[in-house]
Amino acid sequence: MGFWKSLFVNSDATSSPKSTQSSSVLAEVQSDDGSTRIFFSTDRDIDLYELEELCNAVGWARRPIRKVKKAIQHSFLVVTMWEQRGSRRRLIGFSRATSDHAFNATIWDVVVHPEFQGQGLGKALMKQLVKKLRSEDISNVTLFADPQVVDFYRGLGFMADPEGIKGMFWYPD
Ligand SMILES: CC(C)(COP(=O)(O)OP(=O)(O)OC[C@H]1O[C@@H](n2cnc3c(N)ncnc32)[C@H](O)[C@@H]1OP(=O)(O)O)[C@@H](O)C(=O)NCCC(=O)NCCS
């Protein structure tokens, strides 16, 4: 079991942020020796090239930066995950949700850097995102899962085709 997993397992994501922290920090956890900190943030001021690097690292197709910028600007919620060592911060996870601001939200672009996968961090990131959506009284949370991650989302309580409902898609010819 990875170090971070031992901190996140059976916990409701992470510890509460310190009161001195910026309001965009949702939660954080520190390594025993204090050298490394992992934190979750809703701050949208992200270096888009760093985000592109993160997406490249998991093999996602490149998307035009200006469209990614627009998608982030128009998202209802963005939750990022950062590793901090001294003054150096590194983007290690990303997720966002669009919403009608009342009933529904849809989660997009959930990603954890390969070096940090398998340690409970994807689960913690998703928990932060869903917790924040619930705090906004959004009750219908949906997502589109790639086939290889269906069980990851199932483990977080997401159901495929509840009551036979099918996701349907339309693409231009
Ligand atoms: C999917 C992803 C976000 C998971 O992140 P992660 O940090 O590795 O996941 P965690 O370590 O938090 O795993 C949480 C649980 O899900 C399980 N899990 C993780 N990835 C899984 C997968 N692909 N399929 C099934 N279960 C998975 C883990 O075994 C763990 O189970 P446990 O709680 O019983 O121990 C990460 O693998 C990733 O970024 N993948 C590439 C991008 C991607 O495919 N994103 C989803 C697009 S729809």
Side-chain angles (χ1 to χ4, degrees):
M1 182 188 289
F3 171 74
W4 298 109
K5 188 162 189 173
S6 66
L7 293 177
F8 290 122
V9 81
N10 295 331
S11 77
D12 193 10
T14 59
S15 59
S16 298
K18 294 186 181 93
S19 55
T20 51
Q21 216 72 74
S22 129
S23 60
S24 63
V25 173
L26 291 172
E28 63 168 63
V29 68
Q30 214 142 23
S31 62
D32 283 343
D33 62 2
S35 64
T36 310
R37 166 183 174 239
I38 284 186
F39 67 95
F40 300 86
S41 171
T42 54
D43 192 348
R44 289 163 196 235
D45 189 16
I46 303 160
D47 177 340
L48 297 176
Y49 293 97
E50 199 177 0
L51 177 59
E52 188 178 46
E53 249 178 58
L54 173 62
C55 297
N56 285 345
V58 297
W60 282 356
R62 270 178 199 269
R63 298 180 294 186
I65 292 268
R66 70 179 164 80
K67 289 192 102 176
V68 172
K69 183 178 179 184
K70 201 168 176 181
I72 290 173
Q73 272 170 353
H74 293 277
S75 290
F76 177 65
L77 175 66
V78 173
V79 177
T80 49
M81 182 164 67
W82 301 83
E83 180 201 49
Q84 181 156 15
R85 283 170 185 266
S87 60
R88 188 175 170 266
R89 282 178 184 191
R90 177 182 177 194
L91 181 68
I92 59 166
F94 180 88
S95 60
R96 67 182 179 95
T98 49
S99 175
D100 58 14
H101 295 219
F103 304 105
N104 305 290
T106 305
I107 294 173
W108 305 96
D109 300 339
V110 176
V111 57
V112 173
H113 192 283
E115 284 171 30
F116 293 83
Q117 290 178 11
Q119 302 180 58
L121 293 173
K123 194 173 180 173
L125 178 67
M126 281 294 295
K127 282 192 170 185
Q128 290 298 330
L129 187 72
V130 171
K131 191 170 155 190
K132 188 76 180 145
L133 291 173
R134 291 295 299 129
S135 76
E136 302 282 345
D137 205 21
I138 303 284
S139 52
N140 190 28
V141 180
T142 52
L143 55 78
F144 301 94
D146 289 339
Q148 70 277 12
V149 290
V150 167
D151 287 339
F152 166 70
Y153 291 120
R154 229 190 275 277
L156 288 158
F158 286 83
M159 286 169 280
D161 304 340
E163 297 170 30
I165 296 168
K166 298 285 178 202
M168 296 179 76
F169 297 77
W170 179 91
Y171 295 111
D173 295 333

